[in-house]
PDB file of all heavy atoms in Angstrom:
ATOM      1  N   VAL A  22     -19.907  -1.881  -1.170  1.00 97.00           N
ATOM      2  CA  VAL A  22     -20.662  -0.762  -1.689  1.00 97.00           C
ATOM      3  C   VAL A  22     -21.387  -0.021  -0.534  1.00 97.00           C
ATOM      4  O   VAL A  22     -21.359   1.230  -0.481  1.00 97.00           O
ATOM      5  CB  VAL A  22     -21.705  -1.275  -2.658  1.00 97.00           C
ATOM      6  CG1 VAL A  22     -22.723  -0.142  -3.044  1.00 97.00           C
ATOM      7  CG2 VAL A  22     -21.020  -1.773  -3.954  1.00 97.00           C
ATOM      8  N   HIS A  23     -21.915  -0.735   0.419  1.00 98.00           N
ATOM      9  CA  HIS A  23     -22.629  -0.145   1.533  1.00 98.00           C
ATOM     10  C   HIS A  23     -21.660   0.662   2.370  1.00 98.00           C
ATOM     11  O   HIS A  23     -21.916   1.835   2.760  1.00 98.00           O
ATOM     12  CB  HIS A  23     -23.320  -1.173   2.351  1.00 98.00           C
ATOM     13  CG  HIS A  23     -23.870  -0.668   3.708  1.00 98.00           C
ATOM     14  ND1 HIS A  23     -24.900   0.258   3.762  1.00 98.00           N
ATOM     15  CD2 HIS A  23     -23.404  -0.948   4.974  1.00 98.00           C
ATOM     16  CE1 HIS A  23     -25.131   0.513   5.039  1.00 98.00           C
ATOM     17  NE2 HIS A  23     -24.247  -0.171   5.777  1.00 98.00           N
ATOM     18  N   PHE A  24     -20.501   0.054   2.636  1.00 98.00           N
ATOM     19  CA  PHE A  24     -19.474   0.734   3.490  1.00 98.00           C
ATOM     20  C   PHE A  24     -18.995   1.995   2.826  1.00 98.00           C
ATOM     21  O   PHE A  24     -18.794   3.062   3.469  1.00 98.00           O
ATOM     22  CB  PHE A  24     -18.366  -0.208   3.798  1.00 98.00           C
ATOM     23  CG  PHE A  24     -18.673  -1.475   4.606  1.00 98.00           C
ATOM     24  CD1 PHE A  24     -17.879  -2.582   4.588  1.00 98.00           C
ATOM     25  CD2 PHE A  24     -19.838  -1.440   5.398  1.00 98.00           C
ATOM     26  CE1 PHE A  24     -18.203  -3.701   5.311  1.00 98.00           C
ATOM     27  CE2 PHE A  24     -20.157  -2.593   6.172  1.00 98.00           C
ATOM     28  CZ  PHE A  24     -19.359  -3.689   6.119  1.00 98.00           C
ATOM     29  N   CYS A  25     -18.745   1.900   1.492  1.00 98.00           N
ATOM     30  CA  CYS A  25     -18.217   3.083   0.781  1.00 98.00           C
ATOM     31  C   CYS A  25     -19.235   4.169   0.691  1.00 98.00           C
ATOM     32  O   CYS A  25     -18.913   5.358   0.538  1.00 98.00           O
ATOM     33  CB  CYS A  25     -17.784   2.666  -0.612  1.00 98.00           C
ATOM     34  SG  CYS A  25     -16.213   1.723  -0.648  1.00 98.00           S
ATOM     35  N   THR A  26     -20.516   3.800   0.756  1.00 97.00           N
ATOM     36  CA  THR A  26     -21.580   4.814   0.712  1.00 97.00           C
ATOM     37  C   THR A  26     -21.651   5.581   2.025  1.00 97.00           C
ATOM     38  O   THR A  26     -21.879   6.789   2.030  1.00 97.00           O
ATOM     39  CB  THR A  26     -22.903   4.147   0.410  1.00 97.00           C
ATOM     40  OG1 THR A  26     -22.877   3.425  -0.837  1.00 97.00           O
ATOM     41  CG2 THR A  26     -24.050   5.170   0.293  1.00 97.00           C
ATOM     42  N   GLU A  27     -21.437   4.836   3.128  1.00 98.00           N
ATOM     43  CA  GLU A  27     -21.637   5.412   4.431  1.00 98.00           C
ATOM     44  C   GLU A  27     -20.340   6.036   5.079  1.00 98.00           C
ATOM     45  O   GLU A  27     -20.488   6.888   5.969  1.00 98.00           O
ATOM     46  CB  GLU A  27     -22.136   4.322   5.404  1.00 98.00           C
ATOM     47  CG  GLU A  27     -23.518   3.738   5.004  1.00 98.00           C
ATOM     48  CD  GLU A  27     -24.632   4.726   5.305  1.00 98.00           C
ATOM     49  OE1 GLU A  27     -24.524   5.457   6.299  1.00 98.00           O
ATOM     50  OE2 GLU A  27     -25.594   4.830   4.493  1.00 98.00           O
ATOM     51  N   ALA A  28     -19.221   5.625   4.606  1.00 98.00           N
ATOM     52  CA  ALA A  28     -17.962   6.007   5.345  1.00 98.00           C
ATOM     53  C   ALA A  28     -17.664   7.475   5.339  1.00 98.00           C
ATOM     54  O   ALA A  28     -17.851   8.173   4.320  1.00 98.00           O
ATOM     55  CB  ALA A  28     -16.781   5.214   4.770  1.00 98.00           C
ATOM     56  N   ASP A  29     -17.152   7.952   6.487  1.00 98.00           N
ATOM     57  CA  ASP A  29     -16.631   9.333   6.569  1.00 98.00           C
ATOM     58  C   ASP A  29     -15.112   9.359   6.486  1.00 98.00           C
ATOM     59  O   ASP A  29     -14.520  10.439   6.327  1.00 98.00           O
ATOM     60  CB  ASP A  29     -17.062   9.935   7.924  1.00 98.00           C
ATOM     61  CG  ASP A  29     -18.586  10.006   8.050  1.00 98.00           C
ATOM     62  OD1 ASP A  29     -19.205  10.564   7.183  1.00 98.00           O
ATOM     63  OD2 ASP A  29     -19.065   9.463   9.085  1.00 98.00           O
ATOM     64  N   PHE A  30     -14.470   8.165   6.586  1.00 98.00           N
ATOM     65  CA  PHE A  30     -13.019   8.097   6.505  1.00 98.00           C
ATOM     66  C   PHE A  30     -12.720   6.658   6.130  1.00 98.00           C
ATOM     67  O   PHE A  30     -13.337   5.707   6.682  1.00 98.00           O
ATOM     68  CB  PHE A  30     -12.329   8.465   7.817  1.00 98.00           C
ATOM     69  CG  PHE A  30     -10.874   8.738   7.720  1.00 98.00           C
ATOM     70  CD1 PHE A  30     -10.385  10.049   7.808  1.00 98.00           C
ATOM     71  CD2 PHE A  30      -9.940   7.733   7.500  1.00 98.00           C
ATOM     72  CE1 PHE A  30      -9.043  10.303   7.685  1.00 98.00           C
ATOM     73  CE2 PHE A  30      -8.612   7.984   7.412  1.00 98.00           C
ATOM     74  CZ  PHE A  30      -8.096   9.291   7.502  1.00 98.00           C
ATOM     75  N   VAL A  31     -11.693   6.445   5.247  1.00 98.00           N
ATOM     76  CA  VAL A  31     -11.321   5.091   4.823  1.00 98.00           C
ATOM     77  C   VAL A  31      -9.858   4.829   5.108  1.00 98.00           C
ATOM     78  O   VAL A  31      -9.013   5.618   4.730  1.00 98.00           O
ATOM     79  CB  VAL A  31     -11.645   4.866   3.335  1.00 98.00           C
ATOM     80  CG1 VAL A  31     -11.145   3.475   2.898  1.00 98.00           C
ATOM     81  CG2 VAL A  31     -13.099   5.047   3.029  1.00 98.00           C
ATOM     82  N   PHE A  32      -9.617   3.746   5.812  1.00 98.00           N
ATOM     83  CA  PHE A  32      -8.227   3.270   5.983  1.00 98.00           C
ATOM     84  C   PHE A  32      -8.069   2.022   5.074  1.00 98.00           C
ATOM     85  O   PHE A  32      -8.687   0.972   5.331  1.00 98.00           O
ATOM     86  CB  PHE A  32      -7.975   2.818   7.429  1.00 98.00           C
ATOM     87  CG  PHE A  32      -7.891   3.936   8.419  1.00 98.00           C
ATOM     88  CD1 PHE A  32      -8.939   4.221   9.247  1.00 98.00           C
ATOM     89  CD2 PHE A  32      -6.700   4.712   8.539  1.00 98.00           C
ATOM     90  CE1 PHE A  32      -8.823   5.237  10.219  1.00 98.00           C
ATOM     91  CE2 PHE A  32      -6.635   5.702   9.507  1.00 98.00           C
ATOM     92  CZ  PHE A  32      -7.682   6.025  10.277  1.00 98.00           C
ATOM     93  N   ASN A  33      -7.318   2.180   4.007  1.00 96.00           N
ATOM     94  CA  ASN A  33      -7.146   1.070   3.108  1.00 96.00           C
ATOM     95  C   ASN A  33      -5.865   0.298   3.455  1.00 96.00           C
ATOM     96  O   ASN A  33      -4.767   0.719   3.115  1.00 96.00           O
ATOM     97  CB  ASN A  33      -7.037   1.518   1.624  1.00 96.00           C
ATOM     98  CG  ASN A  33      -6.858   0.337   0.682  1.00 96.00           C
ATOM     99  OD1 ASN A  33      -7.419  -0.731   0.890  1.00 96.00           O
ATOM    100  ND2 ASN A  33      -6.067   0.528  -0.353  1.00 96.00           N
ATOM    101  N   LEU A  34      -6.030  -0.797   4.196  1.00 95.00           N
ATOM    102  CA  LEU A  34      -4.921  -1.597   4.627  1.00 95.00           C
ATOM    103  C   LEU A  34      -4.837  -2.912   3.883  1.00 95.00           C
ATOM    104  O   LEU A  34      -3.935  -3.728   4.136  1.00 95.00           O
ATOM    105  CB  LEU A  34      -5.023  -1.882   6.158  1.00 95.00           C
ATOM    106  CG  LEU A  34      -5.207  -0.685   7.066  1.00 95.00           C
ATOM    107  CD1 LEU A  34      -5.417  -1.082   8.495  1.00 95.00           C
ATOM    108  CD2 LEU A  34      -4.022   0.273   6.997  1.00 95.00           C
ATOM    109  N   ALA A  35      -5.773  -3.132   2.953  1.00 87.00           N
ATOM    110  CA  ALA A  35      -5.786  -4.379   2.231  1.00 87.00           C
ATOM    111  C   ALA A  35      -4.599  -4.470   1.261  1.00 87.00           C
ATOM    112  O   ALA A  35      -4.126  -3.459   0.673  1.00 87.00           O
ATOM    113  CB  ALA A  35      -7.047  -4.510   1.404  1.00 87.00           C
ATOM    114  N   GLY A  36      -4.009  -5.619   1.160  1.00 69.00           N
ATOM    115  CA  GLY A  36      -2.879  -5.780   0.234  1.00 69.00           C
ATOM    116  C   GLY A  36      -2.322  -7.207   0.259  1.00 69.00           C
ATOM    117  O   GLY A  36      -2.746  -8.041   1.088  1.00 69.00           O
ATOM    118  N   VAL A  37      -1.375  -7.441  -0.622  1.00 50.00           N
ATOM    119  CA  VAL A  37      -0.745  -8.753  -0.780  1.00 50.00           C
ATOM    120  C   VAL A  37       0.788  -8.547  -0.569  1.00 50.00           C
ATOM    121  O   VAL A  37       1.375  -7.707  -1.188  1.00 50.00           O
ATOM    122  CB  VAL A  37      -1.049  -9.399  -2.129  1.00 50.00           C
ATOM    123  CG1 VAL A  37      -0.250 -10.668  -2.307  1.00 50.00           C
ATOM    124  CG2 VAL A  37      -2.507  -9.634  -2.296  1.00 50.00           C
ATOM    125  N   ASN A  38       1.401  -9.377   0.288  1.00 53.00           N
ATOM    126  CA  ASN A  38       2.824  -9.319   0.454  1.00 53.00           C
ATOM    127  C   ASN A  38       3.527 -10.634   0.327  1.00 53.00           C
ATOM    128  O   ASN A  38       4.752 -10.687   0.273  1.00 53.00           O
ATOM    129  CB  ASN A  38       3.244  -8.597   1.742  1.00 53.00           C
ATOM    130  CG  ASN A  38       2.486  -9.186   2.937  1.00 53.00           C
ATOM    131  OD1 ASN A  38       2.198 -10.349   3.015  1.00 53.00           O
ATOM    132  ND2 ASN A  38       2.181  -8.322   3.931  1.00 53.00           N
ATOM    133  N   ARG A  39       2.811 -11.752   0.266  1.00 52.00           N
ATOM    134  CA  ARG A  39       3.362 -13.059   0.100  1.00 52.00           C
ATOM    135  C   ARG A  39       2.580 -13.867  -0.952  1.00 52.00           C
ATOM    136  O   ARG A  39       1.990 -14.880  -0.591  1.00 52.00           O
ATOM    137  CB  ARG A  39       3.473 -13.787   1.433  1.00 52.00           C
ATOM    138  CG  ARG A  39       4.647 -13.383   2.332  1.00 52.00           C
ATOM    139  CD  ARG A  39       5.991 -13.850   1.726  1.00 52.00           C
ATOM    140  NE  ARG A  39       7.065 -13.525   2.657  1.00 52.00           N
ATOM    141  CZ  ARG A  39       7.553 -14.379   3.541  1.00 52.00           C
ATOM    142  NH1 ARG A  39       6.992 -15.568   3.684  1.00 52.00           N
ATOM    143  NH2 ARG A  39       8.605 -14.050   4.324  1.00 52.00           N
ATOM    144  N   PRO A  40       2.563 -13.428  -2.247  1.00 48.00           N
ATOM    145  CA  PRO A  40       1.681 -14.128  -3.185  1.00 48.00           C
ATOM    146  C   PRO A  40       2.381 -15.420  -3.704  1.00 48.00           C
ATOM    147  O   PRO A  40       3.581 -15.670  -3.481  1.00 48.00           O
ATOM    148  CB  PRO A  40       1.608 -13.117  -4.291  1.00 48.00           C
ATOM    149  CG  PRO A  40       2.907 -12.418  -4.295  1.00 48.00           C
ATOM    150  CD  PRO A  40       3.273 -12.340  -2.808  1.00 48.00           C
ATOM    151  N   GLN A  41       1.573 -16.218  -4.389  1.00 52.00           N
ATOM    152  CA  GLN A  41       2.108 -17.432  -4.995  1.00 52.00           C
ATOM    153  C   GLN A  41       2.986 -17.094  -6.186  1.00 52.00           C
ATOM    154  O   GLN A  41       3.955 -17.736  -6.452  1.00 52.00           O
ATOM    155  CB  GLN A  41       0.910 -18.315  -5.482  1.00 52.00           C
ATOM    156  CG  GLN A  41       0.104 -18.942  -4.371  1.00 52.00           C
ATOM    157  CD  GLN A  41       0.866 -19.898  -3.499  1.00 52.00           C
ATOM    158  OE1 GLN A  41       1.656 -20.723  -4.003  1.00 52.00           O
ATOM    159  NE2 GLN A  41       0.698 -19.802  -2.198  1.00 52.00           N
ATOM    160  N   ASN A  42       2.618 -16.023  -6.922  1.00 55.00           N
ATOM    161  CA  ASN A  42       3.482 -15.561  -8.013  1.00 55.00           C
ATOM    162  C   ASN A  42       3.530 -14.033  -8.087  1.00 55.00           C
ATOM    163  O   ASN A  42       2.648 -13.393  -7.502  1.00 55.00           O
ATOM    164  CB  ASN A  42       2.948 -16.101  -9.430  1.00 55.00           C
ATOM    165  CG  ASN A  42       1.527 -15.692  -9.690  1.00 55.00           C
ATOM    166  OD1 ASN A  42       1.252 -14.563  -9.989  1.00 55.00           O
ATOM    167  ND2 ASN A  42       0.597 -16.651  -9.600  1.00 55.00           N
ATOM    168  N   GLN A  43       4.478 -13.507  -8.740  1.00 54.00           N
ATOM    169  CA  GLN A  43       4.788 -12.074  -8.771  1.00 54.00           C
ATOM    170  C   GLN A  43       3.588 -11.188  -9.245  1.00 54.00           C
ATOM    171  O   GLN A  43       3.401 -10.125  -8.826  1.00 54.00           O
ATOM    172  CB  GLN A  43       6.018 -11.787  -9.570  1.00 54.00           C
ATOM    173  CG  GLN A  43       7.292 -12.412  -9.019  1.00 54.00           C
ATOM    174  CD  GLN A  43       7.748 -11.770  -7.754  1.00 54.00           C
ATOM    175  OE1 GLN A  43       8.014 -10.565  -7.705  1.00 54.00           O
ATOM    176  NE2 GLN A  43       7.908 -12.569  -6.692  1.00 54.00           N
ATOM    177  N   ASP A  44       2.868 -11.749 -10.201  1.00 54.00           N
ATOM    178  CA  ASP A  44       1.724 -11.016 -10.806  1.00 54.00           C
ATOM    179  C   ASP A  44       0.683 -10.638  -9.747  1.00 54.00           C
ATOM    180  O   ASP A  44      -0.048  -9.635  -9.874  1.00 54.00           O
ATOM    181  CB  ASP A  44       1.007 -11.796 -11.905  1.00 54.00           C
ATOM    182  CG  ASP A  44       1.952 -12.016 -13.105  1.00 54.00           C
ATOM    183  OD1 ASP A  44       2.906 -11.246 -13.239  1.00 54.00           O
ATOM    184  OD2 ASP A  44       1.642 -12.919 -13.886  1.00 54.00           O
ATOM    185  N   GLU A  45       0.567 -11.431  -8.702  1.00 47.00           N
ATOM    186  CA  GLU A  45      -0.474 -11.178  -7.680  1.00 47.00           C
ATOM    187  C   GLU A  45      -0.131  -9.941  -6.863  1.00 47.00           C
ATOM    188  O   GLU A  45      -1.025  -9.402  -6.204  1.00 47.00           O
ATOM    189  CB  GLU A  45      -0.552 -12.379  -6.711  1.00 47.00           C
ATOM    190  CG  GLU A  45      -1.152 -13.646  -7.449  1.00 47.00           C
ATOM    191  CD  GLU A  45      -1.236 -14.832  -6.483  1.00 47.00           C
ATOM    192  OE1 GLU A  45      -1.447 -14.601  -5.296  1.00 47.00           O
ATOM    193  OE2 GLU A  45      -1.069 -15.950  -7.013  1.00 47.00           O
ATOM    194  N   PHE A  46       1.090  -9.471  -6.862  1.00 51.00           N
ATOM    195  CA  PHE A  46       1.410  -8.225  -6.206  1.00 51.00           C
ATOM    196  C   PHE A  46       0.592  -7.076  -6.730  1.00 51.00           C
ATOM    197  O   PHE A  46      -0.115  -6.342  -5.995  1.00 51.00           O
ATOM    198  CB  PHE A  46       2.906  -7.852  -6.326  1.00 51.00           C
ATOM    199  CG  PHE A  46       3.775  -8.555  -5.338  1.00 51.00           C
ATOM    200  CD1 PHE A  46       4.982  -9.159  -5.763  1.00 51.00           C
ATOM    201  CD2 PHE A  46       3.503  -8.468  -3.979  1.00 51.00           C
ATOM    202  CE1 PHE A  46       5.804  -9.755  -4.812  1.00 51.00           C
ATOM    203  CE2 PHE A  46       4.379  -9.044  -3.050  1.00 51.00           C
ATOM    204  CZ  PHE A  46       5.513  -9.722  -3.491  1.00 51.00           C
ATOM    205  N   MET A  47       0.629  -6.974  -8.089  1.00 52.00           N
ATOM    206  CA  MET A  47      -0.096  -5.849  -8.714  1.00 52.00           C
ATOM    207  C   MET A  47      -1.580  -5.999  -8.577  1.00 52.00           C
ATOM    208  O   MET A  47      -2.308  -5.050  -8.306  1.00 52.00           O
ATOM    209  CB  MET A  47       0.318  -5.729 -10.194  1.00 52.00           C
ATOM    210  CG  MET A  47      -0.112  -4.463 -10.835  1.00 52.00           C
ATOM    211  SD  MET A  47       0.697  -2.984 -10.096  1.00 52.00           S
ATOM    212  CE  MET A  47       2.392  -3.193 -10.635  1.00 52.00           C
ATOM    213  N   GLN A  48      -2.013  -7.242  -8.732  1.00 57.00           N
ATOM    214  CA  GLN A  48      -3.449  -7.530  -8.618  1.00 57.00           C
ATOM    215  C   GLN A  48      -3.995  -7.230  -7.248  1.00 57.00           C
ATOM    216  O   GLN A  48      -5.038  -6.594  -7.035  1.00 57.00           O
ATOM    217  CB  GLN A  48      -3.745  -8.970  -9.018  1.00 57.00           C
ATOM    218  CG  GLN A  48      -5.218  -9.354  -8.863  1.00 57.00           C
ATOM    219  CD  GLN A  48      -5.459 -10.878  -9.182  1.00 57.00           C
ATOM    220  OE1 GLN A  48      -4.552 -11.486  -9.693  1.00 57.00           O
ATOM    221  NE2 GLN A  48      -6.608 -11.363  -8.789  1.00 57.00           N
ATOM    222  N   GLY A  49      -3.245  -7.613  -6.175  1.00 50.00           N
ATOM    223  CA  GLY A  49      -3.718  -7.461  -4.870  1.00 50.00           C
ATOM    224  C   GLY A  49      -3.548  -6.048  -4.325  1.00 50.00           C
ATOM    225  O   GLY A  49      -4.366  -5.551  -3.544  1.00 50.00           O
ATOM    226  N   ASN A  50      -2.420  -5.386  -4.707  1.00 58.00           N
ATOM    227  CA  ASN A  50      -2.113  -4.077  -4.136  1.00 58.00           C
ATOM    228  C   ASN A  50      -2.623  -2.915  -4.982  1.00 58.00           C
ATOM    229  O   ASN A  50      -3.050  -1.893  -4.440  1.00 58.00           O
ATOM    230  CB  ASN A  50      -0.627  -3.908  -3.919  1.00 58.00           C
ATOM    231  CG  ASN A  50      -0.090  -4.894  -2.869  1.00 58.00           C
ATOM    232  OD1 ASN A  50      -0.766  -5.131  -1.880  1.00 58.00           O
ATOM    233  ND2 ASN A  50       1.092  -5.435  -3.094  1.00 58.00           N
ATOM    234  N   PHE A  51      -2.636  -3.050  -6.268  1.00 67.00           N
ATOM    235  CA  PHE A  51      -3.153  -2.069  -7.182  1.00 67.00           C
ATOM    236  C   PHE A  51      -4.603  -2.301  -7.539  1.00 67.00           C
ATOM    237  O   PHE A  51      -5.449  -1.411  -7.581  1.00 67.00           O
ATOM    238  CB  PHE A  51      -2.276  -1.938  -8.458  1.00 67.00           C
ATOM    239  CG  PHE A  51      -2.742  -0.919  -9.432  1.00 67.00           C
ATOM    240  CD1 PHE A  51      -2.424   0.457  -9.239  1.00 67.00           C
ATOM    241  CD2 PHE A  51      -3.462  -1.277 -10.491  1.00 67.00           C
ATOM    242  CE1 PHE A  51      -2.858   1.392 -10.163  1.00 67.00           C
ATOM    243  CE2 PHE A  51      -3.945  -0.333 -11.429  1.00 67.00           C
ATOM    244  CZ  PHE A  51      -3.636   1.020 -11.237  1.00 67.00           C
ATOM    245  N   GLY A  52      -4.889  -3.579  -7.789  1.00 76.00           N
ATOM    246  CA  GLY A  52      -6.233  -3.959  -8.241  1.00 76.00           C
ATOM    247  C   GLY A  52      -7.338  -3.591  -7.267  1.00 76.00           C
ATOM    248  O   GLY A  52      -8.310  -2.955  -7.675  1.00 76.00           O
ATOM    249  N   PHE A  53      -7.173  -3.973  -6.017  1.00 87.00           N
ATOM    250  CA  PHE A  53      -8.218  -3.711  -5.057  1.00 87.00           C
ATOM    251  C   PHE A  53      -8.338  -2.223  -4.782  1.00 87.00           C
ATOM    252  O   PHE A  53      -9.426  -1.698  -4.596  1.00 87.00           O
ATOM    253  CB  PHE A  53      -7.990  -4.451  -3.755  1.00 87.00           C
ATOM    254  CG  PHE A  53      -9.020  -4.104  -2.679  1.00 87.00           C
ATOM    255  CD1 PHE A  53     -10.290  -4.666  -2.753  1.00 87.00           C
ATOM    256  CD2 PHE A  53      -8.752  -3.172  -1.679  1.00 87.00           C
ATOM    257  CE1 PHE A  53     -11.303  -4.324  -1.875  1.00 87.00           C
ATOM    258  CE2 PHE A  53      -9.738  -2.834  -0.750  1.00 87.00           C
ATOM    259  CZ  PHE A  53     -11.038  -3.423  -0.849  1.00 87.00           C
ATOM    260  N   ALA A  54      -7.201  -1.523  -4.816  1.00 89.00           N
ATOM    261  CA  ALA A  54      -7.206  -0.066  -4.580  1.00 89.00           C
ATOM    262  C   ALA A  54      -8.054   0.607  -5.675  1.00 89.00           C
ATOM    263  O   ALA A  54      -8.847   1.528  -5.372  1.00 89.00           O
ATOM    264  CB  ALA A  54      -5.790   0.507  -4.649  1.00 89.00           C
ATOM    265  N   SER A  55      -7.986   0.070  -6.888  1.00 90.00           N
ATOM    266  CA  SER A  55      -8.812   0.658  -7.981  1.00 90.00           C
ATOM    267  C   SER A  55     -10.287   0.398  -7.759  1.00 90.00           C
ATOM    268  O   SER A  55     -11.105   1.291  -7.938  1.00 90.00           O
ATOM    269  CB  SER A  55      -8.363   0.025  -9.339  1.00 90.00           C
ATOM    270  OG  SER A  55      -7.031   0.256  -9.592  1.00 90.00           O
ATOM    271  N   ILE A  56     -10.616  -0.832  -7.262  1.00 93.00           N
ATOM    272  CA  ILE A  56     -11.977  -1.143  -6.988  1.00 93.00           C
ATOM    273  C   ILE A  56     -12.506  -0.243  -5.873  1.00 93.00           C
ATOM    274  O   ILE A  56     -13.635   0.258  -5.991  1.00 93.00           O
ATOM    275  CB  ILE A  56     -12.136  -2.634  -6.581  1.00 93.00           C
ATOM    276  CG1 ILE A  56     -11.742  -3.506  -7.805  1.00 93.00           C
ATOM    277  CG2 ILE A  56     -13.513  -2.952  -6.046  1.00 93.00           C
ATOM    278  CD1 ILE A  56     -11.668  -4.990  -7.445  1.00 93.00           C
ATOM    279  N   LEU A  57     -11.718  -0.071  -4.849  1.00 95.00           N
ATOM    280  CA  LEU A  57     -12.139   0.737  -3.682  1.00 95.00           C
ATOM    281  C   LEU A  57     -12.425   2.173  -4.148  1.00 95.00           C
ATOM    282  O   LEU A  57     -13.498   2.752  -3.819  1.00 95.00           O
ATOM    283  CB  LEU A  57     -11.095   0.714  -2.616  1.00 95.00           C
ATOM    284  CG  LEU A  57     -11.281   1.653  -1.410  1.00 95.00           C
ATOM    285  CD1 LEU A  57     -12.494   1.206  -0.582  1.00 95.00           C
ATOM    286  CD2 LEU A  57     -10.050   1.712  -0.538  1.00 95.00           C
ATOM    287  N   LEU A  58     -11.495   2.795  -4.840  1.00 96.00           N
ATOM    288  CA  LEU A  58     -11.651   4.172  -5.268  1.00 96.00           C
ATOM    289  C   LEU A  58     -12.814   4.335  -6.302  1.00 96.00           C
ATOM    290  O   LEU A  58     -13.538   5.330  -6.213  1.00 96.00           O
ATOM    291  CB  LEU A  58     -10.370   4.713  -5.813  1.00 96.00           C
ATOM    292  CG  LEU A  58      -9.189   4.744  -4.836  1.00 96.00           C
ATOM    293  CD1 LEU A  58      -7.895   5.324  -5.537  1.00 96.00           C
ATOM    294  CD2 LEU A  58      -9.512   5.522  -3.605  1.00 96.00           C
ATOM    295  N   ASP A  59     -12.936   3.400  -7.180  1.00 95.00           N
ATOM    296  CA  ASP A  59     -14.035   3.447  -8.132  1.00 95.00           C
ATOM    297  C   ASP A  59     -15.395   3.354  -7.416  1.00 95.00           C
ATOM    298  O   ASP A  59     -16.369   4.020  -7.815  1.00 95.00           O
ATOM    299  CB  ASP A  59     -13.962   2.313  -9.139  1.00 95.00           C
ATOM    300  CG  ASP A  59     -12.825   2.571 -10.176  1.00 95.00           C
ATOM    301  OD1 ASP A  59     -12.351   3.720 -10.251  1.00 95.00           O
ATOM    302  OD2 ASP A  59     -12.449   1.557 -10.824  1.00 95.00           O
ATOM    303  N   THR A  60     -15.477   2.542  -6.380  1.00 97.00           N
ATOM    304  CA  THR A  60     -16.752   2.404  -5.561  1.00 97.00           C
ATOM    305  C   THR A  60     -17.047   3.694  -4.876  1.00 97.00           C
ATOM    306  O   THR A  60     -18.182   4.175  -4.831  1.00 97.00           O
ATOM    307  CB  THR A  60     -16.632   1.240  -4.638  1.00 97.00           C
ATOM    308  OG1 THR A  60     -16.249   0.053  -5.311  1.00 97.00           O
ATOM    309  CG2 THR A  60     -17.965   0.991  -3.905  1.00 97.00           C
ATOM    310  N   LEU A  61     -16.026   4.306  -4.259  1.00 97.00           N
ATOM    311  CA  LEU A  61     -16.256   5.580  -3.634  1.00 97.00           C
ATOM    312  C   LEU A  61     -16.725   6.684  -4.624  1.00 97.00           C
ATOM    313  O   LEU A  61     -17.640   7.417  -4.339  1.00 97.00           O
ATOM    314  CB  LEU A  61     -14.967   6.055  -2.920  1.00 97.00           C
ATOM    315  CG  LEU A  61     -14.530   5.318  -1.636  1.00 97.00           C
ATOM    316  CD1 LEU A  61     -13.113   5.675  -1.326  1.00 97.00           C
ATOM    317  CD2 LEU A  61     -15.466   5.612  -0.482  1.00 97.00           C
ATOM    318  N   LYS A  62     -16.057   6.684  -5.764  1.00 96.00           N
ATOM    319  CA  LYS A  62     -16.388   7.655  -6.787  1.00 96.00           C
ATOM    320  C   LYS A  62     -17.810   7.447  -7.315  1.00 96.00           C
ATOM    321  O   LYS A  62     -18.562   8.388  -7.509  1.00 96.00           O
ATOM    322  CB  LYS A  62     -15.400   7.535  -7.930  1.00 96.00           C
ATOM    323  CG  LYS A  62     -15.469   8.712  -8.913  1.00 96.00           C
ATOM    324  CD  LYS A  62     -14.555   8.443 -10.141  1.00 96.00           C
ATOM    325  CE  LYS A  62     -13.124   8.193  -9.746  1.00 96.00           C
ATOM    326  NZ  LYS A  62     -12.298   7.975 -10.985  1.00 96.00           N
ATOM    327  N   ALA A  63     -18.166   6.195  -7.515  1.00 96.00           N
ATOM    328  CA  ALA A  63     -19.488   5.880  -8.035  1.00 96.00           C
ATOM    329  C   ALA A  63     -20.619   6.388  -7.136  1.00 96.00           C
ATOM    330  O   ALA A  63     -21.711   6.704  -7.607  1.00 96.00           O
ATOM    331  CB  ALA A  63     -19.650   4.398  -8.284  1.00 96.00           C
ATOM    332  N   HIS A  64     -20.363   6.483  -5.833  1.00 96.00           N
ATOM    333  CA  HIS A  64     -21.336   6.881  -4.869  1.00 96.00           C
ATOM    334  C   HIS A  64     -21.059   8.304  -4.364  1.00 96.00           C
ATOM    335  O   HIS A  64     -21.584   8.721  -3.369  1.00 96.00           O
ATOM    336  CB  HIS A  64     -21.434   5.894  -3.693  1.00 96.00           C
ATOM    337  CG  HIS A  64     -21.975   4.569  -4.136  1.00 96.00           C
ATOM    338  ND1 HIS A  64     -21.131   3.594  -4.724  1.00 96.00           N
ATOM    339  CD2 HIS A  64     -23.219   4.040  -4.153  1.00 96.00           C
ATOM    340  CE1 HIS A  64     -21.869   2.506  -5.014  1.00 96.00           C
ATOM    341  NE2 HIS A  64     -23.149   2.770  -4.695  1.00 96.00           N
TER     342      HIS A  64
END
């Protein structure tokens, strides 16, 4: 939250490429992206 409030530019490199099961692909690559963008939007 603090970083998203202060940032002037965001590099989103977070992601999953070797999960335990296939569902974690969407959770790790789409899920966190949603959290990041929602946090930027909220602030």
Side-chain angles (χ1 to χ4, degrees):
V22 169
H23 171 67
F24 296 159
C25 285
T26 303
E27 296 288 323
D29 299 306
F30 195 107
V31 177
F32 289 102
N33 180 36
L34 307 176
V37 173
N38 49 34
R39 280 291 184 93
Q41 294 294 320
N42 59 72
Q43 297 289 304
D44 294 339
E45 293 179 33
F46 275 133
M47 195 63 70
Q48 179 183 345
N50 294 323
F51 179 82
F53 177 78
S55 300
I56 293 171
L57 173 66
L58 297 181
D59 286 344
T60 306
L61 289 168
K62 192 188 304 183
H64 293 85

